[in-house]
Amino acid sequence: MENASNLKMPVKRVYHKNPQSKPEKAVRPSQPARVIVGSFALVILVGTLLLMLPVSSKDGTFTPLINAMFTATTSTCVTGLVVYDTFSHWSYFGQGVILALIQIGGIGLVTLASFFTLLLRQKIGLSNMVLTQESVNTNSLRNLHSLVKLVIVSTLVVEASGALLLATRLIPRYGVEGIWVSVFTAVSAYCNAGIDIFGREHPFCSLTVFQDDVVVNVTVMLLIVIGGLGFIVFQDILGYRKSRHLMLHTRTVLLVTGVLIVGGAILFFLMEYNNTLKDLPLWQKIMASFFQSITPRTAGFNSVDVAGMHDATKLFMCALMFIGAAPGSTGGGIKVTTFMVLVMTVVGTLRNKTQTTIMRRRVDHMTVYRSLAVAALSICVCIITSAVILWEMDVATIDGIFEAFSAFGTVGISTGITPTLGIASKIALILTMFIGRVGSISFILAISLRLAYHPRKLVLPEGQIIVG
């Protein structure tokens, strides 16, 4: 037997990664954000091409590129700002394209693709799971399959239920055509799009013709609220019977949503009591106040004349539009959780605390930084868009600001200036709607990656700066 020392064994080289060096694939997690943003852009492009076709318009003519792109963007980004009355300009084919864009934009193309992959009993690869994770805005891959199924199934069930309720009022009013109107309205409300086809009553009327209809108003309000809570909240609530515990995220979303709805309704009631609400009986005043408190948080329907509201009310509604709905929902805005973190950070600072706490839970400082960054970037987008509109158009300052906040919050409520806007204003709003829809994914992810993948932690000398 040969001496073991004389054997020439193959040498397995082991390379130890230098902990000080940045891994080669450290920047690859940014890929999901790029894919998701690209998927929205692709859907908008396809929608633009389809809406430009003569078959999409009622008069059988080509729709101008900028207006087709604006409509495709507002539909995909579930915003609701429109340059044409949806019923008056678009054919049934065009309305069908718009409805498909709303549904895809509300759920997300990546989420839909993942669902059909599961439906065909195929496995979702790790890279696709990461994409889906970012699409539904969750921070965990655990139970992702069940969450994707919940997103699709709950969407179909809620939309179908809403359509059935609306059909009880709209079929007697419009006949068989009421079925299509009910389906369109239910999907638009649940996806927080706010696009309607009630122009058969009169153009751009939205739900003002249903001020006294309890079924229509309550159904639309419920669809908006459910769509704006977020699928993560749904999953947590459904699992409460087993866990007997709700996540801090869920409790925060429910608390802030409830406070904004009730508080917003009270303020709107007081501010518009002798204005847009003056001709309504008391019970309709209350119902309209709740409706206008719910819809600015990314829905886009209106049951009163928005253009006739006081400037102070419009400014208040800008705040609601800016806050928006919950993360992982069909709504936009900076999100109610971001708003809560900002508020509690201010409260903590005033109390001379070094940490942000919510419901006796400490919030990670990175979350605070991201919230501040999102709010700052969002304000910048709204200011720039407002400036473009006011520079190009001769409109009231508050109306220009209102339009910009409505676009960023993917709300869609307008004072009526959208159809009159020029090319520069439309382009600015298109970009703003797009940023408002994907910003919560792309901006936050980009910031978190930059901070999470620093090659080394440098200890820098401390500098003093005076603030306040």
Side-chain angles (χ1 to χ4, degrees):
M1 187 174 180
E2 295 185 71
N3 190 337
S5 61
N6 295 328
L7 291 177
K8 294 184 178 180
M9 301 295 291
V11 179
K12 183 178 180 181
R13 297 182 182 273
V14 180
Y15 296 93
H16 298 280
K17 292 183 179 180
N18 185 353
Q20 298 294 328
S21 63
K22 187 175 182 178
E24 182 183 352
K25 297 184 179 180
V27 296
R28 289 193 178 182
S30 64
Q31 192 66 20
R34 296 173 185 169
V35 173
I36 292 170
V37 170
S39 69
F40 273 96
L42 177 62
V43 172
I44 291 172
L45 176 61
V46 174
T48 300
L49 296 176
L50 290 175
L51 291 176
M52 286 180 63
L53 299 176
V55 70
S56 294
S57 61
K58 281 191 173 179
D59 58 6
T61 60
F62 283 97
T63 299
L65 172 62
I66 186 65
N67 291 339
M69 182 177 291
F70 192 98
T71 304
T73 305
T74 192
S75 302
T76 306
C77 297
V78 290
T79 303
L81 293 174
V82 290
V83 291
Y84 300 118
D85 177 73
T86 307
F87 172 78
S88 303
H89 180 80
W90 303 107
S91 64
Y92 282 111
F93 177 81
Q95 293 173 23
V97 171
I98 291 172
L99 186 64
L101 294 176
I102 291 172
Q103 189 72 89
I104 294 172
I107 297 176
L109 184 61
V110 173
T111 307
L112 282 173
S114 299
F115 174 75
F116 284 114
T117 300
L118 294 173
L119 196 65
L120 296 173
R121 299 184 182 279
Q122 297 181 6
K123 292 184 178 180
I124 301 179
L126 180 60
S127 59
N128 290 331
M129 288 180 67
V130 175
L131 279 174
T132 308
Q133 175 192 355
E134 299 301 334
S135 180
V136 297
N137 208 357
T138 179
N139 57 7
S140 175
L141 293 176
R142 191 176 63 177
N143 299 326
L144 189 60
H145 291 185
S146 61
L147 180 58
V148 170
K149 293 177 181 178
L150 176 65
V151 169
I152 304 299
V153 173
S154 63
T155 296
L156 295 178
V157 170
V158 173
E159 289 176 350
S161 302
L164 288 174
L165 288 173
L166 291 172
T168 62
R169 308 298 297 168
L170 300 182
I171 290 179
R173 190 181 185 108
Y174 302 123
V176 178
E177 197 176 6
I179 299 175
W180 171 241
V181 181
S182 300
V183 172
F184 193 103
T185 306
V187 174
S188 182
Y190 178 76
C191 291
N192 281 215
I195 300 175
D196 68 89
I197 49 175
F198 293 116
R200 49 182 37 87
E201 302 282 350
H202 59 84
F204 304 105
C205 67
S206 192
L207 293 180
T208 55
V209 294
F210 297 99
Q211 281 183 338
D212 60 344
D213 196 312
V214 177
V215 174
V216 173
N217 278 265
V218 173
T219 300
V220 171
M221 282 191 284
L222 287 175
L223 288 170
I224 293 169
V225 171
I226 294 173
L229 287 177
F231 304 112
I232 301 171
V233 173
F234 288 169
Q235 189 181 45
D236 197 29
I237 292 176
L238 291 176
Y240 179 75
R241 292 183 61 182
K242 291 183 178 180
S243 65
R244 293 296 175 182
H245 173 75
L246 291 177
M247 296 186 301
L248 176 62
H249 170 85
T250 301
R251 287 181 286 152
T252 301
V253 168
L254 295 177
L255 174 64
V256 179
T257 298
V259 170
L260 290 177
I261 289 175
V262 176
I266 293 174
L267 285 175
F268 188 89
F269 181 85
L270 296 175
M271 297 171 78
E272 293 295 314
Y273 187 88
N274 291 318
N275 189 30
T276 56
L277 302 176
K278 66 179 180 179
D279 296 327
L280 303 178
L282 180 61
W283 70 271
Q284 284 190 37
K285 283 184 170 72
I286 296 174
M287 185 168 66
S289 297
F290 272 97
F291 193 94
Q292 295 309 135
S293 174
I294 291 172
T295 192
R297 300 204 19 258
T298 81
F301 293 100
N302 60 283
S303 60
V304 299
D305 179 23
V306 177
M309 294 188 307
H310 292 306
D311 287 353
T313 308
K314 294 176 183 177
L315 191 60
F316 164 66
M317 291 183 71
C318 284
L320 293 178
M321 292 189 289
F322 187 73
I323 295 170
S329 70
T330 58
I334 64 170
K335 304 297 187 292
V336 292
T337 48
T338 304
F339 173 71
M340 185 65 163
V341 170
L342 294 174
V343 170
M344 296 311 296
T345 299
V346 173
V347 171
T349 302
L350 294 177
R351 292 180 176 178
N352 202 28
K353 292 183 177 180
T354 58
Q355 294 180 334
T356 299
T357 58
I358 298 177
M359 300 180 187
R360 297 185 178 181
R361 293 292 186 273
R362 178 179 58 83
V363 179
D364 181 66
H365 71 279
M366 297 302 299
T367 302
V368 176
Y369 293 159
R370 293 170 201 158
S371 300
L372 292 170
V374 168
L377 289 170
S378 301
I379 290 174
C380 289
V381 170
C382 291
I383 290 175
I384 293 172
T385 306
S386 301
V388 172
I389 295 173
L390 296 174
W391 168 75
E392 184 184 34
M393 306 300 299
D394 184 19
V395 297
T397 301
I398 186 62
D399 290 346
I401 295 174
F402 192 94
E403 198 84 357
F405 274 84
S406 181
F408 171 77
T410 67
V411 180
I413 303 177
S414 176
T415 56
I417 68 173
T418 310
T420 65
L421 295 176
I423 300 296
S425 298
K426 288 179 181 177
I427 293 175
L429 287 176
I430 287 173
L431 293 174
T432 302
M433 289 187 289
F434 189 80
I435 292 172
R437 184 68 182 102
V438 304
S440 59
I441 297 172
S442 59
F443 286 149
I444 294 178
L445 183 60
I447 294 168
S448 63
L449 285 172
R450 294 262 182 190
L451 294 173
Y453 288 89
H454 270 308
R456 59 177 61 88
K457 291 185 178 180
L458 300 177
V459 179
L460 300 176
E462 184 178 289
Q464 298 294 326
I465 187 169
I466 301 173
V467 298

